[in-house]
Amino acid sequence: QVQLVESGGGLVQAGGSLRLSCAASGSIFSIHSMGWYRQAPGKQRELVAKITSYGISVYADSVKGRFTISRDNANNTVYLQMNSLKPEETGVYYCFYSNYRSNYWGQGTQVTVSS
């Protein structure tokens, strides 16, 4: 089992920045991916960014150049720095952990970008 604890959501004006954190604990495999999905009201959950345990990162096209995902392997924590936020990026951001056997999700953190 893996537990994920997210923090850092909130309300920000368009063009502003937020930093999300996700700390994983439990049975952490050495090879895995962690990252963030978001779900806007009435829409499907979509990948925002992910990073492997080797440090390889993948971003949604819509956030490239504005968001940066990073990780602290010693503390099994992943960060998502979000800059130049847009109102359409409002939603619940879910942290995930994935290894070859299972996927785990955090409880979600609300991000609201006002226009």
Side-chain angles (χ1 to χ4, degrees):
Q1 289 290 326
V2 173
Q3 294 76 44
L4 301 172
V5 178
E6 301 149 329
S7 62
L11 172 64
V12 65
Q13 288 187 333
S17 299
L18 283 174
R19 188 191 194 208
L20 306 182
S21 300
C22 176
S25 61
S27 300
I28 307 297
F29 283 38
S30 58
I31 300 175
H32 63 269
S33 294
M34 290 182 68
W36 299 88
Y37 275 71
R38 69 182 171 212
Q39 188 163 21
K43 294 188 177 182
Q44 289 189 330
R45 197 174 293 190
E46 61 178 358
L47 176 68
V48 178
K50 64 180 180 181
I51 187 167
T52 71
S53 48
Y54 294 109
I56 297 172
S57 56
V58 175
Y59 295 91
D61 287 342
S62 62
V63 307
K64 288 179 180 177
R66 298 184 296 117
F67 290 15
T68 303
I69 191 167
S70 60
R71 62 183 300 147
D72 176 354
N73 286 334
N75 294 304
N76 293 315
T77 300
V78 172
Y79 304 95
L80 183 67
Q81 178 66 43
M82 306 185 292
N83 298 328
S84 301
L85 281 159
K86 303 175 181 180
E88 56 264 37
E89 293 173 324
T90 292
V92 179
Y93 284 65
Y94 295 93
C95 176
F96 76 90
Y97 165 96
S98 177
N99 59 38
Y100 78 99
R101 292 175 61 179
S102 303
N103 298 316
Y104 296 89
W105 294 91
Q107 79 282 2
T109 185
Q110 177 70 41
V111 171
T112 301
V113 185
S114 63
S115 57

